[in-house]
Amino acid sequence: MAADEAKAKGNAAFSAGRFEEAAGHFGDAVALAPDNHVLFSNRSAAYASLHRYKEALADAERTVALRPDWAKGYSRLGAARLGSGDAAGAVEAYEKGLALDPSNAALKDGLAQARSALPRRPASGADAIGKIFQGADLWSKIAADPTTRAYLDQPDFMQMLRDLQRNPGNLNNYLSDPRMMQVLSLMLNVKVQNQNNEASEPTPAKSSPPPPQKQPETKPREPEP
């Protein structure tokens, strides 16, 4: 039996959802054409469908080794790594594939899934505070306050707010803007001041030093003329 014939049988079984049978046919084809990257790719897909990610990963690695400039091989590699619990490795594989084929929808979808599976880092203080800009009452509070209402007509300020709604962790980038400090004060309902807007503390008046006390004369007084 030729490799192409075994491959055709594998494709038919795979399309019918008979993944175990498909893996067997692709294995027969690999035995007949051990340097064919497509056969390893197909068997990797069959193994991944069976959740046998160790075998899927081995075939995917062989695929990209045989044909490193073939974007689809990195799709197989990403899927096998993701199934094995290596989300970071999956992201790397999908990104390599997209570097070869930027418009590949399967690679884009796989990359999105891999990124969503990455462990979440703990939110920083700026992230936590920045989330207040994602609240539903943000715009109404700014519009209702006479001090901040005019900011809504300023394009650069609106761009800052929209960036914070998308990425709350960017708050530190805008704390030097007194308008942002004013809005932050409004949203937190506290008085917030930056370094350029600190309330000056009254300095105590310097008291004049007491007059020097007259020291007793030690020199004998000269007789008056």
Side-chain angles (χ1 to χ4, degrees):
M1 180 176 59
D4 288 343
E5 184 182 349
K7 176 188 172 186
K9 289 182 178 180
N11 288 340
F14 189 93
S15 298
R18 301 191 304 272
F19 304 120
E20 190 76 48
E21 180 185 339
H25 288 306
F26 291 136
D28 293 339
V30 164
L32 295 168
D35 294 329
N36 189 321
H37 62 283
V38 175
L39 299 177
F40 283 99
S41 171
N42 289 1
R43 190 170 66 173
S44 177
Y47 281 141
S49 299
L50 293 166
H51 305 291
R52 291 165 56 180
Y53 295 111
K54 184 177 179 180
E55 294 97 325
L57 181 58
D59 277 353
E61 289 173 344
R62 182 63 178 156
T63 301
V64 297
L66 287 170
R67 185 75 185 274
D69 60 343
W70 192 47
K72 191 172 184 178
Y74 294 97
S75 179
R76 303 297 191 214
L77 183 59
R81 285 178 175 176
L82 186 59
S84 302
D86 182 11
V91 168
E92 179 186 6
Y94 287 124
E95 287 178 342
K96 284 183 178 179
L98 285 169
L100 296 169
D101 186 4
S103 61
N104 189 298
L107 287 167
K108 288 180 180 179
D109 291 344
L111 179 59
Q113 292 178 17
R115 283 177 173 168
S116 67
L118 288 172
R120 301 292 181 186
R121 63 183 179 86
S124 66
D127 288 340
I129 297 176
K131 287 186 183 299
I132 66 174
F133 291 94
Q134 295 179 324
D137 59 345
L138 171 68
W139 304 106
S140 59
K141 280 191 174 184
I142 295 176
D145 188 275
T147 306
T148 59
R149 185 183 303 135
Y151 300 163
L152 298 176
D153 296 327
Q154 300 172 13
D156 62 326
F157 183 77
M158 294 297 292
Q159 184 176 353
M160 283 192 288
L161 281 187
R162 292 192 181 100
D163 180 47
L164 286 176
Q165 288 187 313
R166 291 189 301 268
N167 304 293
N170 289 347
L171 178 61
N172 284 333
N173 298 340
Y174 304 118
L175 290 182
S176 60
D177 192 310
R179 298 171 299 176
M180 187 59 67
M181 295 300 293
Q182 185 67 38
V183 170
L184 187 60
S185 171
L186 172 68
M187 299 303 294
L188 294 175
N189 199 26
V190 294
K191 188 67 176 176
V192 180
Q193 293 172 331
N194 61 8
Q195 294 178 351
N196 297 325
N197 192 28
E198 291 181 349
S200 58
E201 294 290 337
T203 54
K206 292 184 179 180
S207 56
S208 57
Q213 295 182 357
K214 192 173 183 180
Q215 299 293 328
E217 296 181 1
T218 56
K219 182 178 178 181
R221 296 180 66 182
E222 295 182 2
E224 297 179 359

